Amino acid sequence: MDYFGYKQGKLYAENVAVAKIAEAVGTPVYIYSKATFLGHFNRLKEAFSGLDTLICYSIKACSNIHILKVLAEAGSGFDIVSGGELFRARQTGIDTAKIVYAGVGKTDKEIIEALNAPIGYFNIESEAELENLITISRNLGKNPKAALRVNPDVDPRTHTYTTTGKKESKFGVDIERARHVFNKYGKNGTVQLCAVHVHLGSAGKSVQPYAEALQKTVKLIDELRADGFTIEAIDMGGGYGADYETSTAPSASDYAGVIVPLIKDKGLKLILEPGASIAANSAILLTQVLYLKQGGKKKFVIVDAGMNDLIRPPLYDAFHFIWPAQVDPSLVPPKKFRHLNPEGCEQVDIVGPICEGADFFAKERPLPAVKRGDLISIFTAGAYGYTMSSNYNGRPLLPEVLVDGDQFSVIRRRQTYEDLIAHEK
Ligand SMILES: *Cc1c(COP(=O)(O)O)cnc(C)c1O
């Protein structure tokens, strides 16, 4: 589900032709669809409405404060991983009790900021961190709530870099050790250890790992309760699949179908931390063809966006559907699909201007013929797109545009050259 589509061969974001946005703000540019963000959020909310559920959108996926505001108004809480993200979350005016905080390396400064907010739950990643949280809370006279992040040793079968729920990962504590941690710290009198957190990693294509992890976690919660601990919430993390290709990810109701029955009679509040499943196909990265070039047998399409603007293809070996923003109506793609290859396409490498071999968006990809000046859309760029961008090669960060129906607004302006050196003066 998303609101990017072709009308008479021209690509639209909701009811705005993307070419019109390029004309107004230039390229490259990130273009977001408000209706897509809200559509994903509301489907998830609907699917889990049978439970006491708090959806905490994961800020690191896509963090523009105008987008956070849209989600906060729809009822979302936030999953943060740093003090900077806490600061962003607070720009929305949200009730800070709807914020959960994960991360293996929280600094004292960040912990104090979160205690003072005060946030809803600290997601504890190690015994050393819990000890530190207890000390700081005691000194400040605070009694925060915390969830122990457990590592259920389940493989979401995704890229190694986005796998976090296996034993060998740096996140959480091994599930067999969780009871020991509760026995040691569960009655410390300062930090209320009253929830369990699991996050398997990103880009799961199947609901099966969730069912597996949840069964293990619910069993743990039963044991902890039998040991005399009060467990009020289970946080199932994020990592729900997103449609990088049309209709390939499980839907919100597919996830609810396995999660809800396992916890509905447990008297547990459910927390979800979706990032990519909400943000990924809520944006495109619109870029312009600079040059065409032949190199040996290869044909290169050199565009004005680079890996500093969207690093997912080299970093995660990620697939992004890519298509010109204006095509002959016979070449309008019926869906986003890896093997789409209608007649009239050429096999090309789509690359950026950065001085790195890793600067590519696609290799040996069928693309309708393009020429210098044509606009090309890199789809499903909303998650870990802008938030991972950098100034590498002296390139100003891109503008972000939010489309709402037939209107669009610049929610972050393009950086200038002056911005590049502002902190060096
Ligand atoms: C990154 C992250 C998420 C969001 O993951 P997605 O794959 O974007 O859904 C949720 N929870 C935690 C703890 C994370 O680190």
Side-chain angles (χ1 to χ4, degrees):
M1 187 282 306
D2 69 74
Y3 294 91
F4 293 92
Y6 288 81
K7 293 178 205 170
Q8 281 101 47
K10 276 162 79 172
L11 180 62
Y12 279 72
E14 301 189 16
N15 296 319
V16 180
V18 299
K20 196 172 143 188
I21 296 172
E23 208 174 286
V25 304
T27 59
V29 54
Y30 271 89
I31 301 174
Y32 299 98
S33 153
K34 180 177 175 182
T36 311
F37 273 106
L38 286 176
H40 287 305
F41 179 80
N42 288 327
R43 277 176 195 214
L44 201 59
K45 191 162 136 185
E46 181 65 22
F48 286 92
S49 60
L51 296 174
D52 177 8
T53 307
L54 175 62
I55 301 175
C56 293
Y57 168 72
S58 187
I59 289 185
K60 75 179 188 294
C62 180
S63 66
N64 187 292
I65 57 172
H66 297 272
I67 287 162
L68 301 186
K69 272 184 195 148
V70 166
L71 292 169
E73 275 165 24
S76 189
F78 295 119
D79 162 44
I80 60 166
V81 292
S82 70
E85 287 192 351
L86 174 60
F87 183 76
R88 282 189 175 273
R90 298 195 75 173
Q91 305 307 306
T92 66
I94 193 189
D95 172 4
T96 54
K98 289 163 79 171
I99 296 174
V100 297
Y101 183 7
V104 296
K106 303 177 187 80
T107 65
D108 291 2
K109 175 174 178 284
E110 290 174 316
I111 290 171
I112 292 166
E113 286 160 2
L115 284 169
N116 286 334
I119 63 162
Y121 293 90
F122 284 84
N123 289 341
I124 300 295
E125 307 259 6
S126 66
E127 289 163 64
E129 180 198 338
L130 181 52
E131 277 178 19
N132 190 37
L133 178 62
I134 293 169
T135 306
I136 295 175
S137 302
R138 212 164 264 164
N139 290 341
L140 295 177
K142 307 278 187 191
N143 299 103
K145 287 185 176 180
L148 182 66
R149 180 168 182 174
V150 298
N151 215 320
D153 198 24
V154 165
D155 186 353
R157 297 171 202 100
T158 167
H159 193 277
T160 5
Y161 292 179
T162 56
T163 296
T164 59
K166 294 241 300 166
K167 250 192 184 156
E168 305 77 24
S169 96
K170 70 175 178 180
F171 303 95
V173 302
D174 292 347
I175 195 158
E176 306 88 60
R177 203 168 160 77
R179 275 175 89 182
H180 166 80
V181 175
F182 267 83
N183 283 326
K184 190 161 168 203
Y185 301 97
K187 303 227 161 84
N188 67 80
T190 301
V191 172
Q192 311 168 56
L193 199 56
C194 58
V196 178
H197 175 238
V198 211
H199 171 69
L200 298 182
S202 287
K205 283 216 163 99
S206 124
V207 299
Q208 193 47 40
Y210 286 87
E212 229 175 283
L214 190 54
Q215 273 156 358
K216 289 187 178 183
T217 310
V218 167
K219 180 166 168 276
L220 168 69
I221 290 174
D222 288 342
E223 290 166 0
L224 292 172
R225 284 173 163 172
D227 290 345
F229 298 106
T230 303
I231 307 295
E232 61 176 40
I234 180 168
D235 182 337
M236 281 301 295
Y240 313 106
D243 274 347
Y244 285 89
E245 295 176 88
T246 305
S247 303
T248 50
S251 68
S253 46
D254 292 337
Y255 286 108
V258 302
I259 295 176
V260 174
L262 286 169
I263 62 169
K264 75 173 185 315
D265 300 322
K266 294 285 176 185
L268 287 167
K269 181 163 99 177
L270 174 67
I271 300 169
L272 301 173
E273 303 171 343
S277 58
I278 289 185
N281 66 5
S282 296
I284 62 167
L285 170 55
L286 190 66
T287 181
Q288 194 174 140
V289 177
L290 292 176
Y291 301 105
L292 303 178
K293 169 177 174 171
Q294 193 86 32
K297 281 202 179 90
K298 266 189 186 292
K299 185 155 186 180
F300 293 99
V301 174
I302 302 165
V303 297
D304 63 359
M307 66 186 284
N308 70 302
D309 303 310
L310 176 68
I311 202 171
R312 295 187 76 259
L315 184 61
Y316 300 133
D317 211 4
F319 171 84
H320 286 267
F321 184 71
I322 301 177
W323 213 249
Q326 173 142 27
V327 287
D328 184 272
S330 68
L331 289 172
V332 167
K335 58 176 183 172
K336 290 179 284 180
F337 178 49
R338 203 174 289 255
H339 303 293
L340 201 65
N341 191 5
E343 219 161 292
C345 282
E346 300 176 297
Q347 301 279 328
V348 298
D349 282 16
I350 300 158
V351 303
I354 305 270
C355 304
E356 297 277 349
D359 184 25
F360 64 89
F361 296 109
K363 289 186 168 170
E364 291 172 22
R365 182 73 66 80
L367 192 75
V370 289
K371 58 181 190 313
R372 178 172 164 83
D374 283 357
L375 296 172
I376 288 188
S377 172
I378 303 173
F379 289 84
T380 326
Y384 310 101
Y386 203 92
T387 50
M388 283 194 173
S389 59
S390 79
N391 288 122
Y392 188 43
N393 273 210
R395 291 165 54 84
L397 294 184
L398 305 188
E400 296 180 285
V401 166
L402 182 61
V403 173
D404 180 10
D406 56 7
Q407 305 290 318
F408 69 90
S409 48
V410 177
I411 56 173
R412 178 171 170 135
R413 67 166 172 79
R414 188 184 302 278
Q415 276 188 337
T416 62
Y417 291 153
E418 278 303 319
D419 291 332
L420 293 180
I421 58 164
H423 297 173
E424 294 165 31
K425 286 186 168 165

